């Protein structure tokens, strides 16, 4: 972790949704800091609250979503208390976002150029002509061939990878200090994925923005990020340096996720799988939210909700059985060999 | 499109044949005279007008006449069918154009309002309004309008103009530039006539537009709701655009795609709808002409009206297709 002053501090963030079945606590107390130029990964399954966290930062929640508690401090100002117009000057300008589906995230009835220049003319007060020149430059930077031609094309004339590149160009158009990437490679095939990740790393070096990388793919996390937050049921279950999380996972959920990825260096007959599925947000167990799927779960786990414990400097885990996990893992690993 | 037109003429021609040669003769000879002539004379007349010829030859001749603009004699109009239609067309077009204003204005505007305020009391109110509008047939609603606004308070009288205004309009000093009553009145600087024409047209406008704007509202609302949930709307918001711009620029253009189809069909439907509205309000126009032709079995006029509405239908659909391409780049032709 860098010693620089964080540009984004999220403190005890809670995001709830009003639904017909009751209040859904999609995010229930998340804390993290983001320093300039670093990459933070937020990892979790569908429904873990990782996308909601990012949408909360941008204040782009659906109308039934609200933030009852917590602070999101961007450069000393609380995002949750900003006026709508202040918020708009942050969106796209200081914090930009790219989405999962490049197929649907671009408006089909406007050209790529029109959609990129829109943000440039809005935030950078450029005239149309300069904005278009900048759009072409950006498209070239994100590796789109023939940018002069592409800028006047419509999204349907571009492939998925090209569209995601155009989305990245759009997000970077106003030199944001934070880029939130919500599963940017999930909808793409593997070779294109690698290209897009490479591109994002290069652009980060060039533009120096911090990245919040949201994904369910731990392989991608290792490649991209400095630190990671593992989310489950709207909470942080493990948080820390990426190397620590990989080498010494200290939460059964993280450990399960790691083991469910096929590895080229270990020969296993069967892949590990976390039993069950993520429960509906209204039906999480009372104690530890992971207790109904955890192989270490005891009676205590079912009744008492664990807090986020410090394991070592800057590595946290939310589990009653951190020590037991270390032993179990040794046993399982020994059994594998 | 030309193929469709030929198809239409074939169908119209075949339908005529159901009537048989005796009835068909009325297109050429005054019906009063037909009653008095003998059977031999009738046969002669049939030969003269080629009604005993084989079908393909008669179709060819009929088509030839059609191309020349000759659709036969209209009993209802007491003039050739083509003339009768041309004379009545401006009244109907004027009515349809005026009816479009509330339909498009209120329908689309309220539809978007309802979608933006989804599930709020504004939305509920608009939906109830639309449901009532959509459920009320125009022939009932037109009578209600007459009952209250003509019989009751005499605001919106029937017919095209009052008698005094009619006399002035037909006089030599009054120039009929466009044949649209309201516009001609302004161009002649006769604001009293303009006021009179307006009073006569408001009732039919309300009746005609009522059903359609309710329908358009529902389409606009659901289309807008769907678009507002799309990812690119979130992208637009993430760019920092103001909500107004997100809705008016990014959402509206996409939401209008299905609305265009409906609006196009609606314009076509308006020309059919005038049959009822013009009859109820006793207005001169294509609609009442067709209705009266049907009542009096004036087959030449019926066929003329039928051909006319087919042309409107075909041209209308062409315009829909063109406007699609204008809105949606994905269907633009290379």
């Amino acid at each position: 972790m860098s010693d620089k002053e964080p540009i984004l501090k999220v403190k005890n963030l809670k995001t709830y949704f009003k639904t017909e079945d009751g209040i859904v606590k999609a995010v229930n107390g998340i804390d993290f800091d983001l320093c300039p130029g670093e990459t933070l990964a937020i990892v979790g399954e569908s429904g873990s609250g990782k996308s909601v966290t990012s949408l909360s930062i941008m204040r782009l929640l659906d109308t039934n979503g609200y933030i009852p508690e917590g602070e999101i401090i961007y450069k000393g100002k609380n995002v949750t208390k900003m006026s709508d117009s202040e918020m708009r000057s942050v969106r796209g300008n200081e914090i930009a976002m790219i989405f999962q589906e490049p197929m649907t995230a671009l408006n089909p009835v406007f050209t790529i150029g029109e959609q990129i220049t829109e943000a440039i003319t809005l935030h950078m007060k450029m005239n149309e002509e300069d904005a278009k020149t900048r759009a072409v430059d950006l498209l070239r930077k994100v590796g789109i061939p023939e940018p002069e031609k592409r800028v006047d094309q419509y999204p349907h004339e571009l492939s998925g990878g090209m569209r995601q590149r155009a989305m990245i160009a759009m997000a970077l158009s106003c030199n944001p200090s934070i880029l939130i990437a919500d599963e940017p490679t999930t909808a793409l095939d593997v070779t294109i994925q690698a290209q897009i990740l490479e591109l994002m790393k290069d652009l980060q070096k060039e533009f120096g923005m911090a990245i919040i990388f949201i994904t369910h793919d731990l392989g991608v996390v290792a490649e991209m990020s400095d630190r990671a937050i593992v989310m489950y049921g709207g909470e942080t279950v493990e948080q820390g340096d990426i190397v620590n999380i990989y080498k010494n996972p200290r939460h059964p959920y993280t450990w399960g996720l790691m083991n469910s990825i096929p590895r080229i260096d270990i020969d296993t007959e069967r892949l590990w799988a976390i039993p069950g599925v993520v429960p509906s947000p209204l039906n999480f167990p009372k104690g530890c939210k992971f207790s109904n799927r955890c192989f270490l779960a005891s009676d205590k786990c079912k009744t008492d909700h664990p807090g986020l414990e410090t394991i070592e400097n800057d590595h946290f885990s939310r589990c009653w059985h951190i020590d037991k996990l270390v032993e179990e893992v040794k046993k399982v690993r020994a059994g594998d060999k | 499109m030309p193929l469709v037109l030929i198809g239409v003429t074939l169908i119209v021609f075949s339908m005529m044949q159901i009537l048989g040669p005796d009835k068909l003769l009325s297109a050429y000879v005054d019906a009063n005279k037909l009653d008095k002539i003998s059977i031999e004379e009738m046969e002669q007349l049939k030969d003269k007008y080629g009604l005993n010829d084989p079908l393909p030859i008669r179709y060819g001749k009929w088509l030839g006449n059609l191309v020349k603009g000759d659709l036969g004699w209209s009993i209802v109009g007491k003039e050739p069918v083509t003339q009768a239609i041309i004379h009545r067309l401006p009244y109907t077009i004027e009515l349809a154009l005026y009816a479009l204003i509330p339909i498009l204005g209120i329908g689309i505007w309220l539809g978007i309002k309802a979608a933006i305020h989804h599930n709020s009391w504004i939305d509920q109110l608009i939906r109830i309004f639309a449901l009532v509008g959509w459920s009320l047939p125009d022939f009932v609603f037109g009578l209600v309008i007459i009952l209250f606004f003509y019989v009751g308070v005499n605001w919106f009288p029937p017919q095209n103009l009052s008698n005094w205004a009619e006399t002035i309009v037909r006089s030599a000093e009054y120039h009929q530039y466009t044949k649209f009553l309201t516009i001609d009145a302004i161009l002649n600087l006769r604001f009293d006539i303009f006021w009179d024409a307006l009073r006569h047209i408001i009732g039919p406008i309300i009746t005609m537009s009522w059903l359609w704007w309710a329908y358009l509202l529902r389409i606009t609302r659901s289309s807008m709701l769907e678009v507002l949930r799309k990812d690119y709307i979130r992208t637009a918001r993430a760019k920092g655009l103001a909500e107004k711009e997100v809705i008016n620029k990014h959402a509206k253009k996409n939401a209008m795609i299905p609305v265009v189809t409906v609006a196009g069909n609606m314009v076509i439907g308006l020309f059919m709808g005038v049959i009822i509205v013009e009859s109820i309000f006793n207005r001169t126009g294509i609609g009442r002409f067709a209705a009266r032709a049907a009542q009096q079995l004036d087959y030449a006029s019926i066929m003329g009206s039928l051909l006319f509405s087919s042309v409107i239908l075909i041209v209308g659909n062409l315009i829909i297709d063109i406007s699609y391409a204008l809105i949606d780049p994905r269907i633009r032709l290379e």
Side-chain angles (χ1 to χ4, degrees):
Chain A
M1 188 178 171
S2 64
D3 309 320
K4 283 179 275 183
E5 182 65 19
I7 45 168
L8 183 75
K9 293 185 200 169
V10 174
K11 289 180 192 161
N12 191 28
L13 173 70
K14 292 184 181 180
T15 307
Y16 295 174
F17 288 90
K18 278 184 208 136
T19 67
E20 281 171 13
D21 305 320
I23 287 173
V24 171
K25 299 176 177 180
V27 174
N28 208 1
I30 290 280
D31 294 85
F32 65 85
D33 290 349
L34 184 72
C35 292
E38 80 164 337
T39 304
L40 172 75
I42 302 182
V43 192
E45 286 171 276
S46 313
S48 60
K50 54 193 195 306
S51 288
V52 174
T53 307
S54 65
L55 291 174
S56 305
I57 296 169
M58 293 289 273
R59 285 225 335 239
L60 286 175
L61 296 165
D62 289 341
T63 43
N64 61 340
Y66 61 104
I67 300 172
E69 231 182 283
E71 288 181 333
I72 300 167
I73 314 283
Y74 172 76
K75 286 188 176 164
K77 285 199 86 176
N78 192 342
V79 170
T80 58
K81 296 215 162 58
M82 277 186 186
S83 70
D84 284 349
S85 68
E86 271 180 298
M87 196 59 230
R88 281 201 298 273
S89 67
V90 169
R91 276 185 210 141
N93 188 24
E94 314 222 8
I95 309 180
M97 193 161 181
I98 50 182
F99 299 99
Q100 180 171 352
E101 282 285 345
M103 298 294 171
T104 55
L106 289 165
N107 195 325
V109 300
F110 294 105
T111 62
I112 302 291
E114 280 168 341
Q115 297 188 53
I116 298 178
T117 53
E118 205 173 25
I120 301 174
T121 49
L122 178 72
H123 296 299
M124 301 178 92
K125 310 279 174 256
M126 277 190 190
N127 62 36
E128 287 288 332
E129 216 171 295
D130 292 347
K132 192 163 178 188
T133 318
R134 186 173 164 77
V136 173
D137 284 346
L138 285 160
L139 288 177
R140 189 175 294 118
K141 255 185 194 141
V142 297
I144 290 183
E146 299 181 89
E148 295 84 0
K149 192 180 131 202
R150 297 289 179 184
V151 79
D152 292 320
Q153 285 188 328
Y154 288 92
H156 71 275
E157 297 172 87
L158 271 63
S159 68
M162 285 297 153
R163 280 186 230 184
Q164 196 59 297
R165 284 172 196 264
M167 272 301 289
I168 294 173
M170 193 191 296
L172 295 179
S173 60
C174 301
N175 291 327
S177 35
I178 301 176
L179 175 67
I180 302 178
D182 189 353
E183 309 226 18
T185 57
T186 309
L188 306 172
D189 61 54
V190 184
T191 44
I192 308 292
Q193 260 187 30
Q195 289 172 13
I196 295 285
L197 293 177
E198 201 57 41
L199 173 71
M200 287 182 68
K201 270 200 275 187
D202 291 345
L203 291 170
Q204 187 179 26
K205 269 181 215 143
E206 190 180 336
F207 287 81
M209 72 276 185
I211 297 180
I212 298 179
F213 202 94
I214 292 163
T215 183
H216 62 264
D217 187 338
L218 283 164
V220 171
V221 172
E223 201 167 326
M224 289 296 293
S225 48
D226 306 312
R227 282 189 306 135
I229 293 174
V230 182
M231 283 184 78
Y232 186 83
E235 294 176 334
T236 304
V237 292
E238 186 164 358
Q239 179 171 348
D241 190 86
I242 193 73
V243 182
N244 267 334
I245 289 196
Y246 260 81
K247 293 227 165 118
N248 309 305
R250 285 292 179 268
H251 193 282
Y253 179 60
T254 321
W255 190 81
L257 284 181
M258 298 287 178
N259 275 278
S260 51
I261 310 169
R263 281 174 60 173
I264 203 159
D265 55 335
I266 298 173
D267 192 18
T268 39
E269 290 245 324
R270 271 184 82 128
L271 272 179
W272 174 270
I274 301 172
V277 289
V278 185
S280 133
L282 292 161
N283 293 327
F284 275 111
K286 265 198 193 112
C288 172
K289 292 193 171 179
F290 189 57
S291 58
N292 61 336
R293 301 174 69 192
C294 182
F295 67 105
L296 290 174
S298 62
D299 289 344
K300 188 183 187 188
C301 299
K302 294 200 168 95
T303 51
D304 295 346
H305 187 240
L308 201 60
E309 300 289 332
T310 310
I311 298 162
E312 53 191 353
N313 192 24
D314 205 37
H315 187 179
F316 310 92
S317 171
R318 192 187 290 275
C319 182
W320 291 120
H321 305 295
I322 296 172
D323 304 329
K324 217 163 124 192
L325 176 69
V326 178
E327 284 167 36
E328 284 292 326
V329 167
K330 273 182 196 158
K331 265 191 247 166
V332 171
R333 282 199 181 147
D336 272 349
K337 285 167 192 169
Chain B
M1 206 176 85
L3 270 179
V4 180
L5 269 175
I6 290 174
V8 167
T9 59
L10 257 177
I11 293 171
V12 170
F13 181 77
S14 320
M15 285 165 75
M16 284 195 327
Q17 304 316 313
I18 300 169
L19 290 166
D22 288 10
K23 286 271 180 198
L24 290 179
L25 206 54
S26 67
Y28 305 97
V29 185
D30 194 332
N32 294 326
K33 272 190 212 156
L34 271 182
D35 290 342
K36 290 166 196 150
I37 57 175
S38 64
I39 292 172
E40 290 81 47
E41 278 175 307
M42 209 175 206
E43 284 303 318
Q44 277 170 11
L45 278 172
K46 277 192 211 165
D47 280 337
K48 186 184 165 194
Y49 292 109
L51 289 174
N52 289 329
D53 293 345
L55 271 181
I57 291 171
R58 282 169 49 205
Y59 175 64
K61 275 188 187 164
W62 182 75
L63 210 59
N65 284 338
L66 182 68
V67 172
K68 281 184 268 171
D70 180 6
L71 285 165
W73 182 260
S74 162
I75 302 167
V76 171
K78 296 185 184 67
E79 55 187 332
V81 173
T82 323
Q83 292 294 314
I85 290 178
I86 288 171
H87 284 155
R88 285 161 178 80
L89 195 55
Y91 299 115
T92 302
I93 291 181
E94 188 180 23
L95 176 58
L97 285 180
Y98 274 113
L100 271 180
I101 298 170
I103 294 173
L104 295 177
I106 298 176
I108 293 179
W109 181 69
L110 280 184
I112 289 172
K113 274 272 167 298
I116 295 170
H117 303 283
H118 183 43
N119 281 342
S120 70
W121 63 270
I122 299 177
D123 184 26
Q124 306 291 3
L125 199 72
I126 291 174
R127 279 164 73 184
I128 293 171
F129 211 35
L131 188 70
V132 173
W134 181 230
S135 319
L136 209 59
D138 48 2
F139 51 88
V140 174
F141 189 63
L143 291 175
V144 171
I145 293 273
I146 289 188
L147 189 65
F148 284 99
F149 292 99
Y150 173 55
V151 180
V153 292
N154 197 16
W155 288 356
F156 309 144
Q159 296 186 332
N160 300 54
L161 281 175
S162 303
N163 288 335
W164 63 268
E166 191 87 44
T167 321
I168 297 169
V169 168
R170 292 189 179 219
S171 65
E173 305 92 76
Y174 190 90
H175 295 285
Q176 298 197 7
Y177 300 98
T178 58
K179 305 260 165 120
F180 293 161
L181 289 173
T182 48
I183 294 169
D184 279 346
I186 292 176
L187 293 177
N188 280 288
L189 299 175
R190 289 300 303 256
F191 295 104
D192 51 342
I193 294 181
F194 171 75
W195 177 239
D196 190 60
L198 206 62
R199 272 181 59 192
H200 283 81
I201 209 169
I202 285 179
I205 288 173
I206 297 175
T207 311
M208 265 176 80
S209 54
W210 185 266
L211 182 137
W212 281 108
W213 72 246
Y215 185 47
L216 204 65
L217 186 161
R218 286 155 59 108
I219 301 287
T220 309
R221 178 179 173 276
S222 61
S223 162
M224 193 73 184
L225 274 180
E226 198 188 310
V227 168
L228 283 176
R229 275 193 287 263
K230 288 272 161 81
D231 286 354
Y232 52 75
I233 295 302
R234 201 176 49 184
T235 310
R237 289 198 181 115
K239 257 186 240 178
L241 293 178
E243 196 58 24
K244 220 169 150 188
E245 207 153 334
V246 172
I247 288 174
N248 288 332
K249 193 176 164 190
H250 285 266
K252 220 190 238 174
K253 203 171 170 191
N254 282 287
M256 282 307 117
I257 296 170
V259 175
V260 164
T261 329
V262 175
N265 286 324
M266 185 193 73
V267 174
I268 297 166
L270 277 182
F271 277 94
M272 319 283 156
V274 291
I275 293 179
I276 289 166
V277 172
E278 285 180 351
S279 302
I280 291 177
F281 286 91
N282 202 17
R283 287 176 66 84
T284 309
I286 299 283
R288 196 177 60 148
F289 173 69
R292 284 177 55 192
Q295 282 164 356
Q296 300 186 18
L297 280 179
D298 173 2
Y299 94 90
S301 305
I302 298 172
M303 293 308 154
S305 314
L306 202 63
L307 264 179
F308 171 77
S309 47
S310 315
V311 171
I312 293 273
L313 192 82
I314 292 165
V315 173
N317 276 313
L318 184 73
I319 293 171
I320 296 171
D321 288 347
I322 293 171
S323 27
Y324 257 153
L326 286 179
I327 294 182
D328 193 341
R330 284 165 295 186
I331 29 185
R332 219 165 276 175
L333 292 171
E334 286 299 315

